[in-house]
Amino acid sequence: QVTLKESGPVLVKPTETLTLTCTVSGFSLSDSRVGVTWIRRPPGKALEWLAHILSSDAKSYSTSLKSRLTISKDTSRSQVVLTLTDMDPVDTGTYYCARVRMGFRDMDVWGPGTTVAVAS
Amino acid sequence: QSVLTQTPSASGTPGQRVTISCSGSTSNIGRNFVSWYQYLPGTAPQLLISRNSHRPSGIPDRFSASTSGTSASLAISGLRSEDEAEYYCAAWDDSLSGPVFGGGTKLTVL
């Protein structure tokens, strides 16, 4: 069974760096057929793609957040880590990681999400 | 502002058929598969439609979808109260090397 689970802080202060971890099971991060992507949903707003990482370690980022985002993976620990620097209250929302089937370019399994609030 | 354009809201009564549209461009819908997701606040989005029109295992055949050029649509027939949710279209964007989403359509079952 394929599962993903996000973990990280519930509350961060403005200007701090957010670090989120996605722990996967049921598939390998070295499988070339899949990748892992991060998506967020601010309260009352639409889903927004953040970053993506492939088995080859190729990475891609949202154009608007590229300067603040870093994605990495630890294949041996089955974890994908996302960092977002200089947090602002507008970054408040639910953050999801999802598995991407590269052949279909779809996100077939999602984690339950982790909610992050940015406040002083 | 989302890259793909969706009508913000839609509604229907139980048993009706509703259609949700999604408009993109040649760098996304025009050359890549479209997928659709059902989102209930507080839960994880669920893949409803893959590869433009394919339903994953477990998705009722009341859900169907199609694409044409740079547009896509999702149809829900035999509307049920449990279909009340937000629906998002998505497609890979070649210029971003990542997925782009629509702004979401909130479906209300009257």
Side-chain angles (χ1 to χ4, degrees), chain B residues 11 15-16 19 25-27 38-39 48-49 51 60 63 74 89-90 92 94 101 106:
Chain B
S11 62
Q16 272 191 331
T19 301
S25 69
T26 53
S27 66
Q38 181 187 59
Y39 177 73
L48 269 186
I49 298 288
R51 290 174 285 156
F63 294 91
L74 172 72
C89 58
W92 210 258
D94 289 342
F101 287 92
K106 182 172 173 55

Side-chain angles (χ1 to χ4, degrees), chain A residues 59-101:
Chain A
K59 301 157 189 174
S60 52
Y61 297 99
S62 160
T63 301
S64 61
L65 294 169
K66 188 172 185 175
S67 63
R68 299 171 53 207
L69 284 167
T70 303
I71 191 170
S72 63
K73 65 181 175 74
D74 184 333
T75 301
S76 64
R77 301 182 67 182
S78 296
Q79 292 182 330
V80 175
V81 176
L82 182 79
T83 64
L84 181 60
T85 62
D86 194 23
M87 291 289 283
D88 183 273
V90 300
D91 296 311
T92 292
T94 301
Y95 287 72
Y96 299 95
C97 61
R99 186 179 78 162
V100 178
R101 296 187 296 185

Side-chain angles (χ1 to χ4, degrees), chain A residues 4 8 17 23 34 36 38 49 56 59 67 70 76 78 97 107:
Chain A
L4 300 92
T17 294
T23 302
V34 300
V36 173
W38 283 93
W49 173 68
S56 63
K59 301 157 189 174
S67 63
T70 303
S76 64
S78 296
C97 61
M107 288 144 279

Side-chain angles (χ1 to χ4, degrees), chain B residues 9-20 76-85 87 105-110:
Chain B
S9 63
S11 62
T13 57
Q16 272 191 331
R17 182 178 188 270
V18 297
T19 301
I20 295 169
I76 308 171
S77 59
L79 203 58
R80 297 184 177 184
S81 58
E82 58 260 37
D83 298 332
E84 188 162 289
Y87 293 85
T105 298
K106 182 172 173 55
L107 175 63
T108 301
V109 181
L110 303 169

Side-chain angles (χ1 to χ4, degrees), chain A residues 37 39 41 45-49 52 54 60-63 94 96 100-113, chain B residues 2 32-33 35 37 39 41-47 50-51 56 86 88 90 92 96-104:
Chain A
T37 200
I39 291 152
R41 184 181 182 273
K45 295 190 176 182
L47 297 173
E48 178 185 15
W49 173 68
H52 181 79
L54 302 178
S60 52
Y61 297 99
S62 160
T63 301
T94 301
Y96 299 95
V100 178
R101 296 187 296 185
M102 296 309 298
F104 299 156
R105 297 288 201 268
D106 65 19
M107 288 144 279
D108 68 329
V109 185
W110 296 61
Chain B
S2 302
N32 290 300
F33 289 131
S35 51
Y37 303 85
Y39 177 73
T43 69
Q46 180 184 23
L47 177 64
S50 172
R51 290 174 285 156
E86 294 175 21
Y88 289 88
W92 210 258
L96 295 174
S97 294
V100 289
F101 287 92

